[in-house]
Amino acid sequence: MTTNTDFRTCPDTGLLFHKPAETLMKLNAVAAVVFLLVGGIMGLGVGLTRWPAVHLLPADLFYLVLTSHGINVLIFWIIFFEVAVLYFCSSTLLRCRLATPRWAWLGFFLMIIGAITNNVSVLQGQSSVMMTSYVPMAAEPGFYLGLILFAVGALIAVFVFFGTLVVAREERTYEGSVPLVTFGAIVAAIIAVFTIASGAIILIPTLLWKLGYIASIDPAMYRIIWWAFGHSSQQINVAAQVAVWYAIATVVFGAKPLSEKVSRGAFLLYILFLQLASAHHILVDPGVSSEWKIFNTSYAMYLAVMASMIHGLTVPGSIEAAQRKRGFDKGLFEWLRKAPWGNPTFSAMFLSLIIFGFLGGISGVVMGVEQINLIIHNTIYVPGHFHATVATGTTLAFMALTYWLVPVLFRREMIFKNVAKWQPYIFGIGMSGVSLFMMGAGTLGVPRRHWDMAMSGAAMPYDFPATAYTLMGLAGMSVVVAVIGGALFCLLIVGSLLFGKKLGNQKYHEPLIAEPITDYEGIGMGKIAIPGTFALAMVFLLSFVLYYFVNWKYLASTWGLS
Amino acid sequence: MSTLSPPPKRIWWNEPIERVELIWIALVLIWGLIMTFMMPYWHVVGKQNLSNEAYRTTPEVYMAKAQAVVDKYTIRTETDRQYPVVKPPVGSDIYLVARLWEWWPIFELEVNKSYRLHLSSMDWQHGFSLQPANINIQVLPGYELVVTVTPNKSGEYSIICNEFCGIGHHTMVGKIYVK
Ligand code: HEM
Ligand SMILES: [Cu+2]
Ligand SMILES: [Cu+2]
């Protein structure tokens, strides 16, 4: 069984690492960063082709690279990293051995083999079907097979996580309830089971269809089930990303949640109300009724949106409270001004929060309205939206955590700290540009997944207004900035793991975790403990309401449809 | 280490909630209810709602119906590919064919008059994207969507394809005249 030599206590944070878990966390995190690098390079190809003045790649290569980009970043980067987070939240935070490390290894290998199989298939050129692989367009068998193997591997990892929770409970490695961050991870893992099951339900028959064992697959049904997988996987990301936000609030500020009940309740809403949200991907599909669409977007979505809006208050709120308790209690925003903006763990996390909420959250809800979707569906507004949510929100949150894991988990000092300090800003600003300009072009009708907005070779091309070209040009320039930011991250991390000073069991020269704050007595203004956050929240709500109704107005100006 | 360690009070669910949190939850809940209300409300008073009328069909059946309308109401042809320009009676059923890589035929409609526009694909999925009106509808093979359209401005409109449909996707552009 386990002995003490299987564990290592981090001299800086006091965290207890089970060595097999530690190795697996490292491997998954490194794999994640490698796939981010691959996907990011593909993203550069995509972005430079969509920049009209550059129009880098020929059509076939563009669609290949776009397929590869979507899958490598959205699936491989994010999920490898999430597996590392799951092991951290179970084994490390609960001070427990990892259940069945052998299965965890098997899961890891399946994920690697799956990812490689899929990538090879895409690079061979006969599987440029986009990550959604809508039937009846077909990819090569390796494309589906790779994804299925990857999903099986991920499912094994999720069960190792659950197993570890059980072991921790039985061996009484912790007292009372699990930590809030672990709670968030549990929510992510539960949604993951549902998600992966949906993925299997749709991808396995599709593979059989490609191999000739099934005659046909209904395209409408395919879209509903594919999005039960595609959308819920975004819920995993949100839950994981919020858990990371909370973790960083504690790491950097010693913050505790304002109240456990609210934060945990909000996490629970994700499970209760997100499963059916695939509805908002098929709002303009034939064969699905309005009642179904409205029920599943509003019942399932607005309560989940509510959950994110609660975290959007409580995460910065706990940071504000902790800062005020530390003495930064003047005015509305002293706490924020005096935050460690030069610490990439903090800056990446805070940018993640702001960009996810203001750009990604608001746009997502607006385009998820049954009728408003008519003026947005499949325009480049859609990638604009999710580059704010997952490509910036989740990715920056994971980057933030990685900066902290380099010394804590990998026991290496970051190299080029002065560059690392700037990296979140470069990536965050570049990606905000990518998002905003693509959203802008989308409102003018520019399509997504489209090689040439000038439509060369068409019998009667449509002439987009000059503004649309300008916006796509600005998006292209932002792509370059974002890719520089993303590449810097990958190189800094890989570089630090290879060449950073080894820390061993020596204490690091600065604290890697803040002194915990135990109470929030006597802070704030009047009766409000966190006035700054509340003011920001009101600005957010106001922008949300305005933007929401502006879009109804746009909708009202177009053709009548009934 | 408070988000990273178990809650210090074992019975954490009985602790009081911050006042700001309560205010915020109330505001967010009200906003969610308003947004939920807006969708059915628009079905009642709004003029832009996607119809729920859809049928299963096959490419052959659908093509035959489209061809019949084209045969009856074509007024001229355009471009060197001889696209028929169809001027259907106001209020009639018109059939737009989506196929690799064209929207067929061209329609000539009257402004502020309604038509029952049918949409279906002969092969892969396509995206009906009417510009500059910016109306976007998913088009699937095997399904026929019927939507009543009422053009509110005269002019020349393009239908571009915004669902990826292979290498010629960017050349898939059709046309609707509104006079
Ligand atoms: C390195 C910076 C990145 C750049 C410059 C970039 C750029 C782009 C561009 C220009 C598109 C194409 C839009 C279109 O033509 O439809 C795209 C698509 C996409 N991107 Fe990114 N992106 C980046 C990072 C990310 C990240 C980190 C994620 C996810 C975590 C992501 C997820 C996606 C997805 C899912 C698609 C859609 C693919 C599809 O339509 O099938 N991107 N990206
Ligand atoms: Cu098409
Ligand atoms: Cu197309």
Side-chain angles (χ1 to χ4, degrees), chain A residues 47-108:
Chain A
L48 290 181
T49 308
R50 295 233 54 172
W51 181 349
V54 179
H55 209 227
L56 182 70
L57 301 174
D60 52 349
L61 210 52
F62 168 76
Y63 292 122
L64 184 157
V65 163
L66 180 54
T67 306
S68 170
H69 170 65
I71 294 176
N72 277 303
V73 278
L74 188 69
I75 302 181
F76 302 150
W77 142 247
I78 296 278
I79 297 183
F80 271 116
F81 199 86
E82 279 164 354
V83 170
V85 169
L86 287 184
Y87 293 162
F88 179 80
C89 291
S90 52
S91 169
T92 310
L93 290 185
L94 300 180
R95 312 178 75 81
C96 172
R97 66 187 170 87
L98 189 75
T100 61
R102 284 201 185 156
W103 280 94
W105 277 100
L106 176 67
F108 177 72

Side-chain angles (χ1 to χ4, degrees), chain A residues 13 15 59-60 63 93 128-130 134-137 174-181 218-220 223 246-247 250-251 254-262 264 283-291 293-294 297-298 302-303 306 309-310 313-314 365 369-371 374-379 442-445 447-452 455-460 462 464 513 516 527-530 534 537-538 541 544-545 548-549 552 555-562, chain B residues 1-10 12-25 27-29 31-43 46-54 56 78-81 83 103 106 109 123-153 156-176 178:
Chain A
T13 58
L15 290 169
D60 52 349
Y63 292 122
L93 290 185
S128 303
V129 295
M130 309 293 122
Y134 289 141
V135 296
M137 187 184 279
Y174 65 99
E175 293 275 309
S177 309
V178 297
L180 178 62
V181 170
D218 183 86
R223 290 171 60 84
Y246 278 113
T250 288
V251 163
K256 69 186 189 72
L258 297 172
S259 68
E260 295 274 351
K261 186 160 41 176
V262 171
R264 286 173 198 244
L283 290 173
V284 296
D285 273 30
V288 191
S289 77
S290 289
E291 290 81 3
K293 291 170 182 169
I294 292 177
T297 48
S298 57
Y302 298 145
L303 288 169
M306 178 171 147
M309 286 173 76
I310 293 173
L313 180 91
T314 57
V365 176
V369 173
E370 192 207 1
Q371 295 93 340
L374 278 164
I375 56 174
I376 289 178
H377 179 72
N378 269 359
T379 66
T443 61
L444 297 172
R448 73 183 287 195
R449 301 175 162 176
H450 198 274
W451 176 64
D452 183 15
M455 296 166 237
S456 52
M460 28 191 185
Y462 171 64
F464 272 108
I513 190 156
K527 286 196 171 139
I528 300 213
I530 48 163
F534 193 63
M538 292 314 290
L541 190 58
F544 194 165
V545 173
Y548 179 79
F549 285 110
W552 280 107
L555 176 72
S557 70
T558 195
W559 287 22
L561 299 168
S562 61
Chain B
M1 303 228 315
S2 18
T3 62
L4 301 180
S5 46
K9 296 222 175 65
R10 283 191 79 125
W12 48 265
W13 52 89
N14 278 343
E15 282 182 75
I17 296 179
E18 271 296 324
R19 174 204 311 270
V20 192
E21 289 180 305
L22 281 177
I23 301 175
W24 181 243
I25 291 171
L27 284 172
V28 171
L29 194 61
W31 177 231
L33 290 173
I34 295 176
M35 291 195 297
T36 306
F37 168 75
M38 277 305 287
M39 290 187 281
Y41 171 76
W42 199 260
H43 273 277
K47 294 209 169 62
Q48 294 80 15
N49 289 290
L50 188 62
S51 98
N52 289 320
E53 190 179 343
R56 285 191 179 272
E78 274 189 11
T79 80
D80 43 5
R81 292 193 212 166
Y83 282 103
W103 298 98
I106 298 173
L109 309 180
D123 34 61
W124 288 342
Q125 304 196 13
H126 297 280
F128 173 91
S129 177
L130 185 75
Q131 300 303 337
N134 204 11
I135 292 168
N136 305 281
I137 301 172
Q138 191 76 25
V139 182
L140 306 181
Y143 286 83
E144 177 176 352
L145 181 74
V146 192
V147 47
T148 303
V149 297
T150 316
N152 62 352
K153 260 185 237 113
E156 210 179 297
Y157 292 84
S158 291
I159 308 164
I160 59 184
C161 179
N162 71 5
E163 184 56 79
F164 172 63
C165 56
I167 196 75
H169 171 49
H170 65 282
T171 63
M172 180 161 168
V173 189
K175 205 171 246 190
I176 296 183
V178 177

Side-chain angles (χ1 to χ4, degrees), chain A residues 23 41 80 112 119 135 189 200 279 332 427 443 445 448 462 471 475-476:
Chain A
T23 312
I41 294 168
F80 271 116
I112 290 283
N119 263 297
V135 296
L332 270 185
F427 185 75
T443 61
R448 73 183 287 195
Y462 171 64
L471 286 167

Side-chain angles (χ1 to χ4, degrees), chain A residues 1 28 121 146 185 228 304 325 331 342 398 443 510 517 526:
Chain A
M1 281 301 303
N28 277 288
S121 187
K325 197 69 196 179
F398 291 177
T443 61
E510 340 169 341
I517 302 239

Side-chain angles (χ1 to χ4, degrees), chain A residues 245-256 315-316 318-326 328 335-336 338-341 343 345-347 349-350 513-517 520, chain B residues 2:
Chain A
W245 289 348
Y246 278 113
I248 288 172
T250 288
V251 163
V252 180
F253 299 97
K256 69 186 189 72
V315 172
S318 65
I319 292 177
E320 173 172 2
Q323 284 280 77
R324 284 184 185 274
K325 197 69 196 179
R326 285 238 151 72
F328 303 117
W335 63 276
L336 195 55
K338 298 277 170 69
W341 293 100
N343 174 355
T345 300
F346 168 71
S347 62
M349 172 266 166
F350 210 79
I513 190 156
E515 280 300 313
I517 302 239
Y520 291 149
Chain B
S2 18

Side-chain angles (χ1 to χ4, degrees), chain A residues 468-547:
Chain A
Y469 282 91
T470 310
L471 286 167
M472 288 307 285
L474 289 169
M477 293 173 208
S478 311
V479 159
V480 177
V481 179
V483 169
I484 292 174
L488 274 179
F489 171 78
C490 300
L491 298 179
L492 282 169
I493 298 303
V494 173
S496 300
L497 299 191
L498 294 176
F499 309 115
K501 199 173 127 224
K502 285 196 177 136
L503 298 176
N505 270 333
Q506 298 299 309
K507 229 170 150 46
Y508 194 58
H509 53 76
E510 340 169 341
L512 289 175
I513 190 156
E515 280 300 313
I517 302 239
T518 48
D519 73 89
Y520 291 149
E521 296 297 311
I523 54 163
M525 298 157 77
K527 286 196 171 139
I528 300 213
I530 48 163
T533 302
F534 193 63
L536 286 178
M538 292 314 290
V539 172
F540 175 80
L541 190 58
L542 208 68
S543 332
F544 194 165
V545 173
L546 275 176
Y547 187 68

